[in-house]
Amino acid sequence: MQIDKLRGKALDQLFLSILSLKDLEECYRFFDDLCTMGELQSLAQRLEVARMLMEGYTYHKIEEETGASTATISRVKRCINFGNDGYQMTLERVLETPLNNTDLK
């Protein structure tokens, strides 16, 4: 995994902090403090690109709906095809969750 190069106390602290969040409102509060609006938009965009790729959308439709560049779409697709299944794992869980799952599609 690429992230192994960053593995250590600081990254463990970040991930444990995320895992400690109890609900959506706590996530909003934490990530508002942690990230810039641009960083949050980029993360959310990549996840939406992954969802759309997994549902069979074309690059053109994804680009049109999300504003993502073809480079971003390609990178996400590469992660879906050759990564650690992180997108698939989390999206499957989120889309199965009753909480607002109709708003996520």
Side-chain angles (χ1 to χ4, degrees), residues 14-72:
L14 172 63
F15 291 155
L16 289 170
S17 295
I18 293 168
L19 288 170
S20 77
L21 299 170
K22 294 180 176 78
D23 57 31
L24 204 51
E25 185 56 35
E26 285 190 2
C27 285
Y28 271 96
R29 290 173 50 201
F30 178 70
F31 281 96
D32 189 34
D33 287 347
L34 182 67
C35 299
T36 66
M37 294 302 102
E39 290 166 337
L40 284 171
Q41 287 174 326
S42 292
L43 293 170
Q45 181 187 64
R46 287 183 202 149
L47 192 59
E48 180 62 4
V49 166
R51 182 192 66 78
M52 293 177 78
L53 283 168
M54 289 167 50
E55 290 181 4
Y57 285 78
T58 64
Y59 272 45
H60 177 72
K61 186 69 171 172
I62 295 169
E63 191 175 15
E64 187 177 89
E65 287 194 21
T66 67
S69 68
T70 55
T72 296

